[in-house]
Amino acid sequence: MIVYHGTPFGGDSAGVTRFLKGRHALIPFSNTSDCETAFEVCQTVVFDNGAFTAWKSGSPIQDWSSYYDWCCEWYRHPAFGWAIVPDVIDGTEDDNDRLLEEWDPRIDGVPVWHLHESMERLRRLTSWPRIAIGSSGTFSTTGTKAWWERMIEAFNTICGESDRPRCKVHGLRMAAQEYTSRFPFASVDS
């Protein structure tokens, strides 16, 4: 399992370089200051669309064109892994499906399934090579009883009768060992 270290770290560039060297980084669109350093020293770099930060601030992103441009600038770099497809955290399934339709197929994109969404949408998304799971709605706080129950239900859907997921699964903000030891994530971020 890969742990992507979320940036920015702050501090001086030498400290950021020392920490990231040989690791995996997640660069949020809301603050790309460590992007060039990450591409120089990391094994892989993935892009986060910044929807969570915007959602927490109460100003959801309406125009994704600059995020698309940023992804197009970097996706051919050898260290580029994938990018999280834009999403509306507390939006409807239709809102999020429309954003999937806009995604540039040249870029390895990872759609987000939000815990408040239906298991039917989750089943549909497992046709992608990798999906991300994000806490949302009544399940926005990780580690609660309701959150655990919903996560178990989600992985039962993702895995079916098998002990292996139908696609790779990334856990958004799920790097805690209590989560990674319980679910078959391919990757998580901090």
Side-chain angles (χ1 to χ4, degrees), residues 24-165:
H24 305 272
L26 179 140
I27 308 294
F29 185 58
S30 58
N31 188 333
T32 63
S33 61
D34 292 330
C35 187
E36 290 192 25
T37 300
F39 275 108
E40 287 175 22
V41 302
C42 288
Q43 290 184 48
T44 57
V45 178
V46 300
F47 285 176
D48 175 26
N49 62 37
F52 181 77
T53 301
W55 173 68
K56 289 296 267 187
S57 73
S59 301
I61 298 169
Q62 303 297 318
D63 178 7
W64 292 99
S65 57
S66 54
Y67 178 66
Y68 297 145
D69 292 345
W70 183 54
C71 291
C72 284
E73 177 185 346
W74 287 100
Y75 83 96
R76 291 182 307 196
H77 190 285
F80 183 86
W82 42 269
I84 296 173
V85 175
D87 63 310
V88 182
I89 294 175
D90 277 338
T92 67
E93 293 181 11
D94 287 341
D95 293 335
N96 288 307
D97 286 343
R98 272 192 295 280
L99 289 168
L100 291 179
E101 292 170 9
E102 290 179 8
W103 188 248
D104 186 332
R106 296 174 301 167
I107 301 167
D108 288 335
V110 175
V112 178
W113 179 75
H114 305 89
L115 288 175
H116 75 276
E117 294 176 335
S118 72
M119 290 299 151
E120 176 52 37
R121 182 167 194 266
L122 178 58
R123 274 187 210 78
R124 282 189 287 117
L125 291 178
T126 61
S127 66
W128 287 67
R130 179 184 306 260
I131 62 170
I133 295 179
S135 303
S136 63
T138 58
F139 312 101
S140 61
T141 303
T142 58
T144 64
K145 183 177 188 287
W147 182 89
W148 278 107
E149 290 170 353
R150 187 65 168 172
M151 286 290 289
I152 290 167
E153 182 181 11
F155 272 95
N156 285 340
T157 298
I158 293 167
C159 296
E161 299 296 318
S162 173
D163 62 345
R164 294 184 183 158

